[in-house]
């Protein structure tokens, strides 16, 4: 018996850039692309009787500019450090909040992705956006939400 036709995954990212004194310099809200390999990973992960780790807890940033596509499997030009997010869920929204401290992944950030591992792994979602200029003394908070509807 089918109770609900299809489950749709939609993503949303909030970026908050702070200066060395904790003053908000820039804030952006954008939608993202939930990629095909991420959907397949989620289905497999949900079917596992015992999950050994949290679902998609790593956020990566990059400098790539190619448009996000459902066929993406990685960031175009990923920077060196992925950060672990603090995960939560409310109703039908899954959320990850990651913080990139001063000195981590500095430069013109133009893409972001969420992953199953600290390196390599499977990507759930990706987006490309107008550059966020993260200076050496700036910190960047990335809040990623995936809504199941």
């Amino acid at each position: 018996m089918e109770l609900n036709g299809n489950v749709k995954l939609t993503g949303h990212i909030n970026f908050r850039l702070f200066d060395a004194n904790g003053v908000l310099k820039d804030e952006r809200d954008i939608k993202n692309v939930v990629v095909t390999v991420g959907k397949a990973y989620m289905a497999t992960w949900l079917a596992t009787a015992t999950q050994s780790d949290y679902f998609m807890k790593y956020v990566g940033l990059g400098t790539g500019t190619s448009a996000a596509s459902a066929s993406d499997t990685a960031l175009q030009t990923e920077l060196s450090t992925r950060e672990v997010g603090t995960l939560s869920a409310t109703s039908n929204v899954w959320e990850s909040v990651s913080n990139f401290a001063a000195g981590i992944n500095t430069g013109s950030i133009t893409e972001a992705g969420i992953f199953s591992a600290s390196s390599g792994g499977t990507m759930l979602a990706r987006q490309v956006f107008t550059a966020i200029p993260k200076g050496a003394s700036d910190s960047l908070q990335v809040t990623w939400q995936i809504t199941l509807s």
Side-chain angles (χ1 to χ4, degrees), residues 74-120:
L75 293 178
Q76 181 185 5
T77 310
E78 187 168 354
L79 296 171
S80 61
T81 304
R82 289 183 185 171
E83 290 294 330
V84 174
T86 301
L87 305 179
S88 63
T90 306
S91 191
N92 61 328
V93 179
W94 171 90
E95 181 176 271
S96 170
V97 179
S98 300
N99 293 294
F100 291 83
I104 297 175
N105 291 5
T106 60
S108 291
I109 309 299
T110 55
E111 64 177 334
I114 192 153
F115 298 88
S116 64
S118 60
S119 64

Side-chain angles (χ1 to χ4, degrees), residues 43-56:
T44 301
W45 188 85
L46 289 170
T48 304
T50 331
Q51 288 79 19
S52 61
D53 203 358
Y54 292 101
F55 178 76
M56 300 288 176

Side-chain angles (χ1 to χ4, degrees), residues 2 4 9 17 36 40 47 64 68 72 77 88 96 103 108 147:
E2 182 177 30
N4 187 4
L9 301 178
L17 182 68
T36 303
D72 289 342
T77 310
S88 63
S96 170
S108 291
T147 301

Side-chain angles (χ1 to χ4, degrees), residues 126-143:
R126 175 177 180 253
Q127 192 52 280
V128 176
F129 41 86
T130 305
I132 296 172
K134 185 178 183 295
S137 61
D138 294 338
S139 61
L140 181 65
Q141 180 183 65
V142 180
T143 302

